[in-house]
Amino acid sequence: MSAPAASRSPSPTALVTHPACNRHDTGPTHPEGQARLPAMLDAVRRDAELASVLVEREATPALEEDLLRVHTPEHVIAVREAAAEARRRGQIVWLDPDTAVSSASWEAALASAGCAIAAAELAMAGEVPTAFALCRPPGHHATVHRPMGFCLFNNVAVAARRVQARAGADRVLIVDWDVHHGNGTQDVFYADPTVAFLSLHLFPHYPGTGSEDERGAGAGRGMTRNVPLPPGTGAAEYRRRFLEALDAALASFEPDLVLVSAGFDCLAGDPLGGLLLEPADLHQLTTDLLERVRRPAKGRVAAVLEGGYVPGRVGLGLVDVLRAFARLPKAR
Ligand SMILES: [Zn+2]
């Protein structure tokens, strides 16, 4: 099943970043800290074969109108004012026990959402079929109304709404393989028939949502698919459930673009996780996804960084996702 990916010639893939992302300061002990992005970039740049097909792009920060397609004005104002307060006080402001805002977090949050938008737009434009937004703060726990769980704005949702509004994507499939349930993304699109959401996650686990019977509401009934997994789930069972859910989603929904909430806390050994995937398994899952969306979405896939808290492991995971995007064999 993986042979075609390895036998085709390499394909360019984009890596989207913005320097403001890493000015988001959560303090020295927070898992979602400033060590993550440099470690990931280092891992990518050490792979010369990958670097030779990588198109690196700097994003344009998101506009407030982009945020307001997803979030309430009160939510947007709360984040901006928390950053202003952090600047005035010269210290981090906590929106909840997990979610930090520093003086640079407003600019970082706009940059992070901008990276997701740029990755989605690059894939939609077809210049490169696949792109990865290497950004923080992450997004998939941020609901319509509030930041939570390290997330200020829901980057993947902002990107979906932007390409729907401006890049001709009518239908978007969001696949979330972060170890935590993407409750915020589910919240944004729960009653929306134009965005399908598929999440595989450890359960029960933070944030507590994501049971199988959460399927969407109203016109969006059936468009949300949750695959809760017990602690210790390994690659074979994970892939079986992933393919089963993905095939079921694609049987009734033809996306113009696929977005991935790419959390690397699904890797074995993550301090906030409990699943047992290895970086090479992410290469396989990414290859599986690309094969299944080659026709419906013309192979257009944009991934957006979510969690993943052992920087070295996350770097290896990113390399294997990018190698799959580039149709290179998995890293050795
Ligand atoms: Zn997570």
Side-chain angles (χ1 to χ4, degrees):
M1 197 172 238
S2 59
S7 63
R8 289 200 302 272
S9 57
S11 163
T13 187
L15 186 67
V16 184
T17 58
H18 192 287
C21 286
N22 221 33
R23 294 181 200 130
H24 173 58
D25 182 2
T26 55
T29 58
H30 197 289
E32 202 293 288
Q34 289 171 322
R36 298 177 69 227
L37 296 186
M40 297 175 85
L41 271 175
D42 278 357
V44 170
R45 289 183 175 146
R46 276 198 301 270
D47 186 331
E49 189 181 26
L50 175 59
S52 72
V53 293
L54 206 59
V55 179
E56 292 199 40
R57 289 289 168 83
E58 186 172 312
T60 301
L63 304 171
E64 280 193 51
E65 69 183 63
D66 296 314
L67 306 179
L68 292 168
R69 288 192 196 96
V70 169
H71 300 291
T72 60
E74 293 77 12
H75 176 145
V76 174
I77 290 165
V79 173
R80 190 173 53 211
E81 291 195 342
E85 190 188 340
R87 201 170 302 129
R88 277 195 303 274
R89 290 176 18 191
Q91 63 185 60
I92 289 168
V93 169
W94 294 90
L95 298 177
D96 67 29
D98 303 317
T99 311
V101 172
S102 65
S103 59
S105 293
W106 171 251
E107 288 76 16
L110 293 177
S112 192
C115 288
I117 289 171
E121 287 185 339
L122 279 165
M124 276 306 292
E127 184 188 339
V128 289
T130 56
F132 196 105
L134 189 59
C135 56
R136 58 182 290 274
H140 74 152
H141 295 309
T143 71
V144 171
H145 299 277
R146 69 176 182 124
M148 66 176 274
F150 313 168
C151 302
L152 300 182
F153 299 120
N154 195 312
N155 302 320
V156 79
V158 169
R161 285 292 188 231
R162 167 76 167 248
V163 293
Q164 286 189 311
R166 295 190 22 191
D170 294 328
R171 291 173 307 280
V172 178
L173 168 65
I174 300 175
V175 176
D176 186 327
W177 71 46
D178 188 280
V179 78
H180 303 98
H181 178 235
N183 64 296
T185 313
Q186 173 173 298
D187 178 59
V188 173
F189 301 113
Y190 206 56
D192 186 336
T194 68
V195 178
F197 178 62
L198 164 59
S199 179
L200 290 93
H201 44 268
L202 186 60
F203 189 88
H205 197 44
Y206 181 89
T209 49
S211 67
E212 255 168 342
D213 58 8
E214 295 165 24
R215 297 293 311 274
R221 181 92 192 137
M223 305 299 293
T224 293
R225 277 170 206 280
N226 284 306
V227 182
L229 299 166
T233 300
E237 174 66 3
Y238 189 103
R239 184 176 181 225
R240 189 182 72 74
R241 301 293 303 277
F242 178 80
L243 294 178
E244 181 182 79
L246 182 60
D247 288 342
L250 291 171
S252 57
F253 185 80
E254 215 171 277
D256 300 304
L257 173 71
V258 178
L259 297 175
V260 180
S261 266
F264 293 92
D265 43 11
C266 56
L267 294 173
D270 193 281
L272 303 189
L275 301 178
L276 299 178
L277 300 186
E278 291 298 322
D281 300 323
L282 292 176
H283 185 280
Q284 179 66 63
L285 296 168
T286 306
T287 302
D288 290 334
L289 176 64
L290 289 174
E291 285 177 358
R292 278 163 173 75
V293 301
R294 198 182 305 147
R295 267 199 346 160
K298 301 192 178 74
R300 296 186 286 224
V301 179
V304 181
L305 179 65
E306 300 285 359
Y309 302 105
V310 181
R313 293 274 288 167
V314 174
L316 296 176
L318 174 64
V319 165
D320 261 325
V321 170
L322 289 173
R323 289 184 69 92
F325 275 176
R327 298 178 187 164
L328 294 167
K330 67 182 197 267
R332 280 188 294 275

